[in-house]
Amino acid sequence: YAGPIVEKWKSSSLFDYTYNTRIISVSLGLEYFINNPIIGSGINQSMKLIQTDAIMFANWMSMKFYFPVYQIHNTVVRTAAETGVVGLSLLFSFLYISLSSAFRMIRVGRKMTNLRERAVILSLNLWIISFILFHQTTGWFEAGHPQLSWLLMFITISEVFYNRLAIDKEAESAE
């Protein structure tokens, strides 16, 4: 079913614009990382340079169709560019802890007897997993951006439900 939609999208000039914008964004982010790999260029500092660097990069690559680039459009690449290996290792640690916790919550949630709590646990953790794995298009840590807040809020709510379940099980076994 998606074939005709994909073909129409590819034949559209929007595909070239979008594709080229991503190539410029990620390429410049990797270049910033290579230039300062240990501690990066500084949080949100890539946003100061990327507009002029994007124009120069597009001219160098002979790209005619692209949108203005205001930021690095990938969380991992942006973190690497702005915080270097130090920040990247912290990000990967955060992602590992978040994903392992989400998978644990799904295993626990499938066994819950309260259907409402099970629905909340499963939906929150499926959202967490899909967000982390597939939503790499913007800077999560950009000042004022709500995405990190949503992620942390869902992780917290999930942990609260899990802890409440553990307390209820302890109370039942004590009786």
Side-chain angles (χ1 to χ4, degrees):
Y1 295 111
I5 296 169
V6 170
E7 288 305 315
K8 184 159 180 90
W9 173 252
K10 278 184 170 180
S11 65
S12 164
S13 65
L14 281 178
F15 179 78
D16 291 335
Y17 276 90
T18 305
Y19 180 77
N20 289 340
T21 303
R22 298 283 176 184
I23 293 294
I24 293 168
S25 171
V26 170
S27 297
L28 289 175
L30 292 173
E31 184 179 316
Y32 296 157
F33 173 69
I34 290 168
N35 289 339
N36 200 350
I38 304 300
I39 59 170
S41 61
I43 294 175
N44 291 335
Q45 295 304 306
S46 67
M47 293 169 59
K48 292 180 179 178
L49 306 170
I50 201 160
Q51 287 178 310
T52 55
D53 289 350
I55 294 168
M56 291 188 316
F57 184 83
N59 289 335
W60 180 66
M61 294 293 291
S62 301
M63 292 180 180
K64 293 181 174 60
F65 306 109
Y66 62 94
F67 294 114
V69 180
Y70 299 110
Q71 65 179 339
I72 299 169
H73 292 276
N74 183 289
T75 302
V76 174
V77 175
R78 184 169 178 179
T79 302
E82 294 181 353
T83 61
V85 174
V86 174
L88 196 57
S89 61
L90 290 172
L91 175 68
F92 284 142
S93 297
F94 170 72
L95 296 179
Y96 174 77
I97 291 167
S98 299
L99 285 173
S100 60
S101 174
F103 282 113
R104 178 175 46 93
M105 296 294 172
I106 287 175
R107 283 192 301 277
V108 169
R110 289 178 34 211
K111 298 174 185 172
M112 294 177 87
T113 56
N114 184 322
L115 295 179
R116 287 185 181 176
E117 288 183 3
R118 179 170 47 187
V120 169
I121 289 276
L122 293 177
S123 62
L124 288 178
N125 287 289
L126 287 173
W127 185 90
I128 291 167
I129 291 167
S130 64
F131 179 82
I132 289 173
L133 295 179
F134 302 112
H135 191 67
Q136 291 291 317
T137 58
T138 59
W140 298 352
F141 304 108
E142 188 174 314
H145 210 292
Q147 292 176 338
L148 182 62
S149 300
W150 282 98
L151 180 61
L152 294 175
M153 182 176 62
F154 287 173
I155 290 170
T156 303
I157 292 170
S158 184
E159 284 289 333
V160 167
F161 273 78
Y162 173 76
N163 289 337
R164 198 166 81 186
L165 175 69
I167 290 169
D168 289 344
K169 285 194 176 197
E170 285 179 16
E172 286 177 10
S173 64
E175 292 175 357

